[in-house]
Amino acid sequence: MNYYFHVPFCTSKCGYCAFYSLPGAGDGLMEKFLQHLEDTFVPCGRAETVYIGGGTPTLLSEKQLERFFKLLKSRLEFVPGAEISCEANPESLTSGKVALLRENITRLSMGVQSFDPEVRKNIGRKCSQTALENALELVEKARFPHWNADLIFALPGQSDEDFFKGVDAALERGVDHISCYALTAEENAALKLPEDDERAALMMPRITEYLAQRGIDRYEISNFARPGCYCQHNVNVWRGGLLAGIGPAASGFDGSVRYTYGTLEEWLSGKNPETDVISQAARLNEIFAVNLRTVAGWTPELWNNVPGHDDWQMRQNIIRTAADTLPEEWFIISQERIALTGDGLLFWNSVAGEIFDYGA
């Protein structure tokens, strides 16, 4: 089982963010969150991965973080080598929090977004350069087994050269995973900056080559890592692994039912999540499409590991139908592998649409 915990608290709402979060929430709400978690959390299987996201999980105080990790370790049974990831914002990190994280997780994901303070200001990212540098120093000294930096490219006021300087700064601090995102106009985000799709499309091949030359390869549309340093939580979910979602706005899937919890107030009140029953055929198409976000794509062996999988030849038929209506150069299709090319990954949404519609 893969577990996702949503900690919805933030100091402020970043302009580009569309995730459910509560800026400026007081300590009282955080205490209620932890108490409800302690009162209600019941595991539903051995933990292969745990991902703690938000919001800003590291906005919890040191005592609250210690309490949170104590809960996880006392109730979850972890498989050997289980991955435990936690998101963090630089301005929320202290030496004490980093020490706690180093003791309790195997992977840190830090929301840097940009190393340029002016660019961060333009996108509503309230983090001073001093706070960023202090956090990077703490993380570097802690020597986490794995750590990721989130970076946004093709931003207004950001030159390509400045973006690559940021990449170099992350590499100098020992990062082994980088998530690179283009700015997208999310429906629930406050900031409505103009997107430059053409510039973003041109940048991705440059980023891919630049990182590959430094030993960090692209393994998914937006994710790059050194060998053996992929985010296993994401890989598991992309390939159809079950997901237990815990916390306000958290989503999960138990094999047939997808569910999503409501607001913090609704979650604290015990309100049941919204649910959606997924047919087996639709679920298989969904898994098949989602893992085509990865560079590796599918092999017969990987597909046979999907719960309730159908015949590999059926997958061949579906992808060839999609390829008949879309540019041929987007696809890699053989009996041994189904994947998308670099160009195909840029248009994954179009490919996924064809797959979801198959048999509908």
Side-chain angles (χ1 to χ4, degrees), residues 188-275:
N188 297 321
L191 195 65
K192 302 301 180 186
L193 290 173
E195 297 179 55
D196 191 340
D197 293 340
E198 183 177 352
R199 180 185 171 201
L202 291 173
M203 270 290 284
M204 186 52 82
R206 290 184 61 192
I207 295 170
T208 301
E209 181 180 3
Y210 193 86
L211 287 172
Q213 292 171 349
R214 289 152 180 80
I216 296 186
D217 293 321
R218 188 184 192 188
Y219 73 97
E220 191 263 351
I221 291 175
S222 302
N223 289 287
F224 303 76
R226 298 193 187 281
C229 301
Y230 297 175
C231 177
Q232 194 59 49
H233 177 86
N234 287 343
V235 171
N236 286 1
V237 174
W238 293 333
R239 292 178 179 172
L242 300 184
L243 177 65
I246 302 99
S251 295
F253 185 75
D254 65 6
S256 60
V257 178
R258 179 180 289 109
Y259 58 88
T260 302
Y261 286 98
T263 65
L264 176 63
E265 184 179 70
E266 291 171 332
W267 181 72
L268 290 174
S269 73
K271 182 179 179 179
N272 290 329
E274 293 186 3
T275 59

Coordinates of all heavy atoms in Angstrom, one line a residue, residues 188-275:
N188 N -7.7 27.2 -9.8 CA -7.9 27.7 -8.5 C -6.7 28.5 -8.0 O -6.6 28.9 -6.8 CB -8.1 26.5 -7.5 CG -9.4 25.8 -7.8 OD1 -10.4 26.4 -8.2 ND2 -9.3 24.5 -7.7
A189 N -5.7 28.8 -8.9 CA -4.6 29.6 -8.5 C -4.9 31.1 -8.6 O -5.6 31.5 -9.5 CB -3.4 29.3 -9.4
A190 N -4.3 31.9 -7.7 CA -4.6 33.3 -7.6 C -3.9 34.1 -8.7 O -4.4 35.1 -9.3 CB -4.2 33.9 -6.3
L191 N -2.7 33.6 -9.1 CA -1.8 34.3 -10.0 C -2.2 33.9 -11.5 O -2.2 32.7 -11.8 CB -0.4 34.0 -9.7 CG 0.7 34.9 -10.4 CD1 0.5 36.4 -9.8 CD2 2.1 34.4 -10.1
K192 N -2.4 34.8 -12.3 CA -2.8 34.5 -13.7 C -1.7 35.1 -14.6 O -1.9 36.1 -15.3 CB -4.1 35.1 -14.1 CG -5.3 34.5 -13.2 CD -5.4 33.0 -13.2 CE -6.5 32.5 -12.3 NZ -6.6 31.0 -12.3
L193 N -0.5 34.6 -14.6 CA 0.6 35.0 -15.5 C 0.4 34.4 -16.8 O -0.1 33.3 -17.0 CB 1.9 34.6 -14.9 CG 2.4 35.3 -13.6 CD1 3.7 34.7 -13.1 CD2 2.6 36.8 -13.9
P194 N 0.9 35.1 -17.9 CA 0.8 34.5 -19.2 C 1.7 33.3 -19.4 O 2.8 33.3 -19.0 CB 1.2 35.7 -20.1 CG 2.1 36.5 -19.3 CD 1.5 36.4 -17.9
E195 N 1.1 32.2 -20.0 CA 1.9 31.1 -20.3 C 2.6 31.2 -21.6 O 2.1 31.9 -22.5 CB 1.0 29.8 -20.3 CG 0.4 29.5 -19.0 CD -0.5 28.3 -19.1 OE1 0.0 27.2 -19.6 OE2 -1.7 28.4 -18.8
D196 N 3.8 30.7 -21.8 CA 4.5 30.7 -23.0 C 4.8 29.2 -23.4 O 5.8 28.7 -23.2 CB 5.8 31.5 -22.9 CG 6.5 31.8 -24.2 OD1 6.2 31.1 -25.2 OD2 7.4 32.7 -24.2
D197 N 3.8 28.6 -24.0 CA 3.8 27.2 -24.3 C 5.0 26.9 -25.3 O 5.6 25.9 -25.2 CB 2.5 26.7 -24.9 CG 1.4 26.8 -23.9 OD1 1.7 26.8 -22.7 OD2 0.2 26.8 -24.3
E198 N 5.2 27.8 -26.3 CA 6.2 27.5 -27.3 C 7.6 27.6 -26.6 O 8.4 26.7 -26.9 CB 6.1 28.6 -28.4 CG 7.1 28.3 -29.5 CD 7.0 29.3 -30.7 OE1 6.0 30.1 -30.6 OE2 7.9 29.3 -31.5
R199 N 7.8 28.5 -25.8 CA 9.1 28.6 -25.1 C 9.3 27.4 -24.2 O 10.4 26.8 -24.1 CB 9.1 29.9 -24.3 CG 10.5 30.1 -23.5 CD 10.4 31.3 -22.6 NE 11.5 31.4 -21.7 CZ 11.6 32.1 -20.6 NH1 10.5 32.8 -20.2 NH2 12.6 32.1 -19.8
A200 N 8.2 27.0 -23.5 CA 8.3 25.9 -22.6 C 8.6 24.6 -23.4 O 9.5 23.8 -22.9 CB 7.0 25.7 -21.8
A201 N 8.0 24.4 -24.5 CA 8.3 23.2 -25.3 C 9.7 23.2 -25.8 O 10.3 22.1 -25.9 CB 7.3 23.2 -26.5
L202 N 10.3 24.3 -26.1 CA 11.6 24.4 -26.6 C 12.6 24.2 -25.4 O 13.7 23.6 -25.7 CB 11.9 25.8 -27.3 CG 11.2 26.0 -28.6 CD1 11.4 27.5 -29.0 CD2 11.7 25.0 -29.7
M203 N 12.2 24.5 -24.3 CA 13.1 24.4 -23.1 C 13.3 23.0 -22.6 O 14.4 22.6 -22.2 CB 12.6 25.2 -21.9 CG 13.1 26.7 -21.9 SD 14.9 26.7 -21.5 CE 14.8 26.5 -19.7
M204 N 12.2 22.2 -22.7 CA 12.3 20.8 -22.2 C 13.4 20.0 -22.8 O 14.2 19.3 -22.0 CB 11.0 20.1 -22.3 CG 10.9 18.8 -21.6 SD 11.5 18.8 -19.8 CE 10.0 19.4 -19.0
P205 N 13.6 20.0 -24.1 CA 14.7 19.2 -24.7 C 16.1 19.7 -24.2 O 17.0 18.9 -23.9 CB 14.6 19.4 -26.2 CG 13.2 19.7 -26.4 CD 12.8 20.5 -25.2
R206 N 16.2 21.0 -24.0 CA 17.4 21.6 -23.5 C 17.7 21.2 -22.0 O 18.8 20.8 -21.6 CB 17.4 23.1 -23.5 CG 17.4 23.7 -24.9 CD 17.5 25.2 -24.9 NE 18.7 25.7 -24.1 CZ 18.8 27.0 -23.7 NH1 17.9 27.9 -23.9 NH2 19.9 27.3 -23.1
I207 N 16.6 21.2 -21.2 CA 16.8 20.7 -19.8 C 17.1 19.3 -19.8 O 18.0 18.9 -19.0 CB 15.4 21.0 -19.1 CG1 15.1 22.5 -19.0 CG2 15.5 20.3 -17.7 CD1 13.7 22.8 -18.4
T208 N 16.5 18.5 -20.6 CA 16.8 17.0 -20.6 C 18.2 16.8 -21.0 O 18.9 16.0 -20.3 CB 15.9 16.3 -21.7 OG1 14.5 16.6 -21.3 CG2 16.1 14.8 -21.7
E209 N 18.8 17.4 -22.0 CA 20.1 17.2 -22.4 C 21.1 17.8 -21.3 O 22.1 17.1 -21.0 CB 20.4 18.0 -23.7 CG 21.8 17.8 -24.2 CD 22.1 18.5 -25.5 OE1 21.2 19.2 -26.0 OE2 23.2 18.4 -26.1
Y210 N 20.8 18.9 -20.7 CA 21.7 19.5 -19.7 C 21.8 18.6 -18.5 O 22.9 18.4 -18.0 CB 21.1 20.9 -19.3 CG 22.0 21.8 -18.5 CD1 22.9 22.6 -19.2 CD2 21.9 21.8 -17.1 CE1 23.7 23.5 -18.4 CE2 22.8 22.6 -16.4 CZ 23.6 23.5 -17.0 OH 24.5 24.3 -16.3
L211 N 20.7 18.1 -18.0 CA 20.7 17.2 -16.9 C 21.4 15.9 -17.2 O 22.1 15.3 -16.4 CB 19.3 17.1 -16.3 CG 18.8 18.3 -15.6 CD1 17.3 18.1 -15.2 CD2 19.6 18.6 -14.3
A212 N 21.1 15.3 -18.4 CA 21.7 14.1 -18.7 C 23.2 14.1 -18.8 O 23.9 13.2 -18.4 CB 21.2 13.6 -20.1
Q213 N 23.7 15.2 -19.2 CA 25.2 15.4 -19.2 C 25.8 15.5 -17.8 O 27.0 15.3 -17.6 CB 25.5 16.7 -19.9 CG 25.3 16.7 -21.4 CD 25.4 18.0 -22.1 OE1 25.6 19.1 -21.4 NE2 25.4 18.1 -23.4
R214 N 24.9 15.6 -16.8 CA 25.3 15.7 -15.4 C 24.8 14.5 -14.6 O 24.8 14.5 -13.4 CB 24.8 17.0 -14.8 CG 25.6 18.2 -15.3 CD 24.8 19.5 -15.3 NE 25.6 20.6 -15.9 CZ 25.7 20.8 -17.2 NH1 25.2 20.0 -18.1 NH2 26.5 21.8 -17.6
G215 N 24.5 13.4 -15.3 CA 24.1 12.2 -14.7 C 22.7 12.1 -14.2 O 22.4 11.2 -13.4
I216 N 21.8 13.0 -14.6 CA 20.5 13.0 -14.1 C 19.5 12.9 -15.3 O 19.4 13.8 -16.1 CB 20.1 14.3 -13.3 CG1 21.0 14.3 -12.0 CG2 18.7 14.4 -12.9 CD1 20.7 15.5 -11.1
D217 N 18.9 11.7 -15.4 CA 18.1 11.5 -16.6 C 16.6 11.7 -16.4 O 16.1 11.5 -15.3 CB 18.3 10.0 -17.0 CG 19.7 9.8 -17.5 OD1 20.3 10.6 -18.2 OD2 20.3 8.7 -17.2
R218 N 15.9 12.1 -17.5 CA 14.5 12.2 -17.4 C 13.8 10.9 -17.3 O 14.1 9.9 -18.1 CB 14.0 12.9 -18.7 CG 12.6 13.4 -18.7 CD 12.2 14.0 -20.1 NE 10.9 14.6 -20.1 CZ 10.3 15.1 -21.1 NH1 10.9 15.0 -22.3 NH2 9.2 15.7 -21.1
Y219 N 12.9 10.7 -16.4 CA 12.2 9.4 -16.3 C 10.7 9.6 -16.4 O 10.0 8.6 -16.5 CB 12.6 8.6 -15.1 CG 12.1 9.1 -13.7 CD1 10.9 8.6 -13.2 CD2 12.7 10.2 -13.0 CE1 10.5 9.0 -11.9 CE2 12.3 10.6 -11.8 CZ 11.1 10.0 -11.3 OH 10.7 10.5 -10.0
E220 N 10.2 10.9 -16.4 CA 8.8 11.2 -16.5 C 8.7 12.5 -17.1 O 9.7 13.3 -17.2 CB 8.2 11.1 -15.1 CG 6.6 11.1 -15.1 CD 6.1 12.5 -14.8 OE1 6.9 13.4 -14.5 OE2 4.9 12.7 -15.0
I221 N 7.5 12.9 -17.5 CA 7.4 14.2 -18.2 C 8.1 15.3 -17.5 O 8.8 16.1 -18.1 CB 5.9 14.6 -18.3 CG1 5.2 13.6 -19.3 CG2 5.7 16.0 -18.8 CD1 3.7 13.8 -19.4
S222 N 8.0 15.5 -16.2 CA 8.6 16.6 -15.5 C 9.6 16.2 -14.5 O 10.2 17.1 -13.7 CB 7.4 17.3 -14.7 OG 6.4 17.8 -15.6
N223 N 10.0 14.9 -14.4 CA 10.9 14.5 -13.3 C 12.2 13.9 -13.9 O 12.2 13.1 -14.8 CB 10.2 13.4 -12.5 CG 9.1 14.1 -11.6 OD1 9.4 14.7 -10.7 ND2 7.8 13.9 -12.0
F224 N 13.3 14.2 -13.2 CA 14.6 13.8 -13.6 C 15.4 13.3 -12.3 O 15.2 13.8 -11.2 CB 15.4 15.0 -14.1 CG 14.8 15.7 -15.3 CD1 13.7 16.5 -15.1 CD2 15.3 15.5 -16.6 CE1 13.1 17.1 -16.2 CE2 14.7 16.1 -17.7 CZ 13.6 16.9 -17.5
A225 N 16.1 12.2 -12.5 CA 16.8 11.7 -11.3 C 18.1 10.9 -11.7 O 18.2 10.4 -12.8 CB 15.9 10.7 -10.6
R226 N 19.0 10.8 -10.7 CA 20.1 9.9 -10.9 C 19.6 8.4 -10.9 O 18.5 8.2 -10.3 CB 21.1 10.1 -9.8 CG 21.7 11.5 -9.8 CD 23.0 11.6 -9.0 NE 23.4 13.0 -8.9 CZ 24.1 13.7 -9.8 NH1 24.4 13.0 -10.9 NH2 24.5 14.9 -9.6
P227 N 20.3 7.5 -11.4 CA 19.9 6.1 -11.4 C 19.6 5.6 -9.9 O 20.4 5.9 -9.0 CB 21.1 5.3 -12.0 CG 21.8 6.3 -12.9 CD 21.6 7.7 -12.2
G228 N 18.5 5.0 -9.8 CA 18.1 4.5 -8.5 C 17.5 5.5 -7.5 O 17.2 5.2 -6.4
C229 N 17.3 6.7 -8.0 CA 16.8 7.8 -7.2 C 15.4 8.3 -7.6 O 15.0 9.5 -7.3 CB 17.8 9.0 -7.2 SG 19.4 8.5 -6.6
Y230 N 14.6 7.5 -8.3 CA 13.3 7.9 -8.7 C 12.4 8.0 -7.4 O 12.7 7.5 -6.4 CB 12.6 6.8 -9.6 CG 13.3 6.6 -10.9 CD1 12.8 5.6 -11.7 CD2 14.3 7.4 -11.4 CE1 13.4 5.3 -13.0 CE2 14.9 7.1 -12.6 CZ 14.5 6.1 -13.4 OH 15.0 5.9 -14.6
C231 N 11.3 8.8 -7.5 CA 10.3 8.9 -6.5 C 9.5 7.6 -6.6 O 8.6 7.5 -7.4 CB 9.5 10.1 -6.6 SG 8.1 10.2 -5.3
Q232 N 9.8 6.6 -5.7 CA 9.1 5.3 -5.8 C 7.6 5.4 -5.5 O 6.8 4.7 -6.1 CB 9.7 4.3 -4.8 CG 9.4 2.9 -5.1 CD 9.8 2.4 -6.5 OE1 10.9 2.7 -6.9 NE2 8.8 1.8 -7.2
H233 N 7.2 6.4 -4.7 CA 5.8 6.5 -4.4 C 5.0 6.9 -5.7 O 4.0 6.2 -6.1 CB 5.6 7.7 -3.4 CG 4.1 8.0 -3.2 ND1 3.4 7.4 -2.2 CD2 3.3 8.9 -3.7 CE1 2.2 7.9 -2.2 NE2 2.1 8.8 -3.1
N234 N 5.6 7.8 -6.5 CA 4.9 8.2 -7.8 C 5.0 7.0 -8.7 O 4.0 6.7 -9.4 CB 5.6 9.4 -8.4 CG 5.3 10.7 -7.6 OD1 4.3 10.7 -6.9 ND2 6.0 11.7 -7.8
V235 N 6.1 6.3 -8.8 CA 6.2 5.2 -9.8 C 5.2 4.1 -9.4 O 4.5 3.6 -10.3 CB 7.6 4.6 -9.7 CG1 7.7 3.3 -10.5 CG2 8.7 5.6 -10.3
N236 N 5.0 3.8 -8.2 CA 4.0 2.8 -7.8 C 2.6 3.2 -8.2 O 1.9 2.4 -8.7 CB 4.1 2.6 -6.2 CG 5.3 1.8 -5.8 OD1 6.2 1.4 -6.6 ND2 5.4 1.6 -4.5
V237 N 2.3 4.5 -7.9 CA 0.9 4.9 -8.2 C 0.7 5.0 -9.7 O -0.4 4.6 -10.3 CB 0.6 6.3 -7.6 CG1 -0.7 6.8 -8.0 CG2 0.7 6.1 -6.1
W238 N 1.7 5.4 -10.5 CA 1.6 5.5 -12.0 C 1.3 4.1 -12.5 O 0.6 3.9 -13.5 CB 2.8 6.0 -12.6 CG 3.1 7.5 -12.3 CD1 2.2 8.4 -12.0 CD2 4.4 8.1 -12.2 NE1 2.8 9.7 -11.7 CE2 4.2 9.5 -11.9 CE3 5.7 7.7 -12.4 CZ2 5.2 10.4 -11.8 CZ3 6.7 8.6 -12.3 CH2 6.5 10.0 -12.0
R239 N 1.9 3.1 -11.9 CA 1.8 1.7 -12.4 C 0.6 0.9 -11.8 O 0.5 -0.3 -11.9 CB 3.1 0.9 -12.2 CG 4.2 1.5 -13.0 CD 5.5 0.8 -12.8 NE 6.6 1.3 -13.6 CZ 7.9 1.0 -13.5 NH1 8.3 0.1 -12.6 NH2 8.8 1.5 -14.3
G240 N -0.3 1.7 -11.1 CA -1.5 1.0 -10.7 C -1.5 0.6 -9.2 O -2.4 -0.1 -8.8
G241 N -0.5 1.0 -8.4 CA -0.5 0.7 -7.0 C -1.6 1.3 -6.3 O -2.1 2.4 -6.6
L242 N -2.1 0.6 -5.2 CA -3.2 1.2 -4.4 C -2.7 2.4 -3.6 O -1.5 2.4 -3.2 CB -3.8 0.1 -3.5 CG -4.4 -1.1 -4.2 CD1 -5.0 -2.1 -3.2 CD2 -5.4 -0.7 -5.3
L243 N -3.6 3.3 -3.3 CA -3.2 4.5 -2.7 C -4.2 4.8 -1.5 O -5.4 4.9 -1.8 CB -3.2 5.7 -3.7 CG -3.0 7.1 -3.1 CD1 -1.5 7.2 -2.6 CD2 -3.2 8.2 -4.2
A244 N -3.7 5.0 -0.3 CA -4.5 5.4 0.8 C -4.3 6.9 1.0 O -3.2 7.3 1.4 CB -4.2 4.6 2.0
G245 N -5.4 7.7 0.9 CA -5.3 9.1 1.1 C -5.8 9.5 2.4 O -6.9 9.1 2.8
I246 N -5.0 10.3 3.2 CA -5.4 10.6 4.6 C -5.3 12.1 4.7 O -4.2 12.7 4.4 CB -4.6 9.9 5.6 CG1 -4.7 8.4 5.5 CG2 -5.0 10.4 7.0 CD1 -3.5 7.8 4.7
G247 N -6.3 12.8 5.2 CA -6.3 14.2 5.5 C -7.2 15.0 4.6 O -7.8 14.5 3.6
P248 N -7.5 16.3 4.9 CA -8.4 17.1 4.1 C -7.9 17.2 2.6 O -6.7 17.4 2.4 CB -8.3 18.4 4.8 CG -7.1 18.4 5.6 CD -6.9 17.0 6.0
A249 N -8.8 17.0 1.7 CA -8.5 17.1 0.2 C -7.7 15.9 -0.3 O -7.3 15.9 -1.5 CB -7.9 18.4 -0.1
A250 N -7.3 15.0 0.6 CA -6.5 13.8 0.1 C -7.4 12.9 -0.7 O -8.6 12.7 -0.4 CB -5.9 13.1 1.3
S251 N -6.8 12.3 -1.7 CA -7.5 11.3 -2.6 C -6.8 9.9 -2.4 O -5.6 9.8 -2.1 CB -7.5 11.7 -4.0 OG -8.2 12.9 -4.2
G252 N -7.6 8.9 -2.6 CA -7.1 7.6 -2.6 C -7.9 6.7 -3.5 O -8.9 7.1 -4.1
F253 N -7.4 5.4 -3.7 CA -8.0 4.5 -4.6 C -7.8 3.1 -4.0 O -6.6 2.7 -3.7 CB -7.5 4.5 -6.0 CG -8.2 3.6 -6.9 CD1 -9.4 4.0 -7.4 CD2 -7.6 2.4 -7.3 CE1 -10.1 3.1 -8.3 CE2 -8.2 1.6 -8.2 CZ -9.5 1.9 -8.7
D254 N -8.9 2.3 -3.7 CA -8.8 1.1 -3.0 C -8.9 -0.1 -4.0 O -8.9 -1.3 -3.5 CB -9.8 0.9 -1.9 CG -11.3 0.9 -2.5 OD1 -11.4 0.9 -3.7 OD2 -12.2 0.9 -1.7
G255 N -8.9 0.1 -5.3 CA -9.0 -1.0 -6.2 C -10.2 -0.9 -7.1 O -10.2 -1.4 -8.2
S256 N -11.2 -0.3 -6.5 CA -12.5 -0.1 -7.3 C -13.1 1.3 -7.1 O -13.9 1.8 -7.9 CB -13.5 -1.2 -7.0 OG -13.8 -1.2 -5.6
V257 N -12.8 1.9 -5.9 CA -13.5 3.1 -5.6 C -12.4 4.2 -5.4 O -11.4 4.0 -4.6 CB -14.3 3.0 -4.3 CG1 -14.9 4.4 -3.9 CG2 -15.4 2.0 -4.4
R258 N -12.6 5.3 -6.1 CA -11.7 6.5 -5.9 C -12.4 7.4 -4.9 O -13.6 7.6 -5.0 CB -11.4 7.2 -7.2 CG -10.5 8.5 -7.0 CD -10.2 9.2 -8.3 NE -9.3 8.4 -9.1 CZ -9.6 7.7 -10.2 NH1 -10.9 7.8 -10.7 NH2 -8.8 7.0 -10.9
Y259 N -11.7 8.0 -3.9 CA -12.4 8.8 -3.0 C -11.5 10.1 -2.7 O -10.3 10.1 -2.9 CB -12.6 8.1 -1.6 CG -11.4 7.5 -1.0 CD1 -10.6 8.3 -0.1 CD2 -10.9 6.2 -1.3 CE1 -9.4 7.8 0.5 CE2 -9.8 5.7 -0.7 CZ -9.0 6.5 0.2 OH -7.9 6.0 0.8
T260 N -12.2 11.2 -2.3 CA -11.5 12.4 -2.0 C -12.2 13.1 -0.9 O -13.4 13.3 -0.9 CB -11.6 13.4 -3.3 OG1 -10.9 12.8 -4.4 CG2 -10.8 14.7 -2.9
Y261 N -11.4 13.4 0.1 CA -12.0 14.1 1.3 C -12.2 15.6 1.0 O -11.6 16.2 0.1 CB -11.0 13.9 2.5 CG -11.0 12.6 3.1 CD1 -10.1 11.6 2.7 CD2 -12.1 12.2 3.9 CE1 -10.1 10.3 3.3 CE2 -12.1 10.9 4.5 CZ -11.1 10.0 4.1 OH -11.2 8.7 4.6
G262 N -13.0 16.2 1.8 CA -13.3 17.6 1.7 C -12.4 18.5 2.4 O -11.2 18.2 2.7
T263 N -12.9 19.7 2.9 CA -12.1 20.7 3.5 C -11.6 20.2 4.9 O -12.1 19.1 5.4 CB -12.9 21.9 3.7 OG1 -14.0 21.6 4.6 CG2 -13.5 22.5 2.4
L264 N -10.8 20.9 5.5 CA -10.3 20.6 6.9 C -11.5 20.5 7.8 O -11.6 19.6 8.6 CB -9.3 21.6 7.4 CG -8.8 21.4 8.8 CD1 -8.1 20.1 9.0 CD2 -8.0 22.6 9.3
E265 N -12.4 21.5 7.8 CA -13.6 21.5 8.6 C -14.4 20.2 8.4 O -14.9 19.6 9.4 CB -14.4 22.7 8.3 CG -15.6 22.9 9.3 CD -16.4 24.1 9.0 OE1 -17.1 24.2 7.9 OE2 -16.3 25.1 9.8
E266 N -14.6 19.8 7.2 CA -15.4 18.6 6.9 C -14.7 17.3 7.3 O -15.3 16.4 7.9 CB -15.7 18.5 5.4 CG -16.6 19.6 4.9 CD -16.7 19.7 3.4 OE1 -15.7 19.3 2.7 OE2 -17.8 20.1 2.9
W267 N -13.4 17.3 7.1 CA -12.6 16.1 7.5 C -12.6 16.0 9.1 O -12.8 14.9 9.6 CB -11.1 16.3 7.0 CG -10.2 15.2 7.3 CD1 -10.2 13.9 6.8 CD2 -9.1 15.2 8.3 NE1 -9.2 13.2 7.3 CE2 -8.5 13.9 8.2 CE3 -8.6 16.2 9.1 CZ2 -7.4 13.6 9.0 CZ3 -7.5 15.9 9.9 CH2 -6.9 14.6 9.9
L268 N -12.4 17.1 9.8 CA -12.5 17.1 11.2 C -13.8 16.6 11.8 O -13.9 16.0 12.8 CB -12.1 18.5 11.8 CG -10.7 18.9 11.7 CD1 -10.5 20.4 12.1 CD2 -9.7 18.0 12.4
S269 N -14.9 17.0 11.0 CA -16.2 16.6 11.5 C -16.5 15.1 11.2 O -17.6 14.6 11.6 CB -17.3 17.5 10.8 OG -17.4 17.1 9.4
G270 N -15.7 14.5 10.5 CA -15.9 13.0 10.1 C -16.7 12.8 8.9 O -17.2 11.7 8.7
K271 N -16.9 13.9 8.1 CA -17.7 13.7 6.9 C -17.1 12.7 5.9 O -15.9 12.7 5.7 CB -17.9 15.1 6.2 CG -18.7 15.0 4.9 CD -18.9 16.4 4.3 CE -19.7 16.3 3.0 NZ -19.9 17.6 2.4
N272 N -17.9 11.8 5.4 CA -17.4 10.8 4.4 C -16.8 11.5 3.2 O -17.4 12.5 2.7 CB -18.5 9.8 4.1 CG -18.8 8.9 5.2 OD1 -18.0 8.6 6.1 ND2 -20.1 8.5 5.3
P273 N -15.8 10.9 2.6 CA -15.3 11.5 1.3 C -16.3 11.3 0.2 O -17.1 10.4 0.2 CB -14.0 10.7 1.1 CG -14.3 9.4 1.7 CD -15.1 9.7 2.9
E274 N -16.1 12.1 -0.9 CA -16.8 11.9 -2.1 C -16.2 10.7 -2.8 O -15.0 10.5 -2.8 CB -16.7 13.1 -3.0 CG -17.4 14.3 -2.5 CD -17.4 15.5 -3.5 OE1 -16.9 15.3 -4.6 OE2 -18.0 16.5 -3.2
T275 N -17.0 9.9 -3.4 CA -16.5 8.6 -4.0 C -16.9 8.5 -5.5 O -17.9 9.1 -5.9 CB -17.1 7.4 -3.3 OG1 -18.5 7.4 -3.3 CG2 -16.6 7.4 -1.8

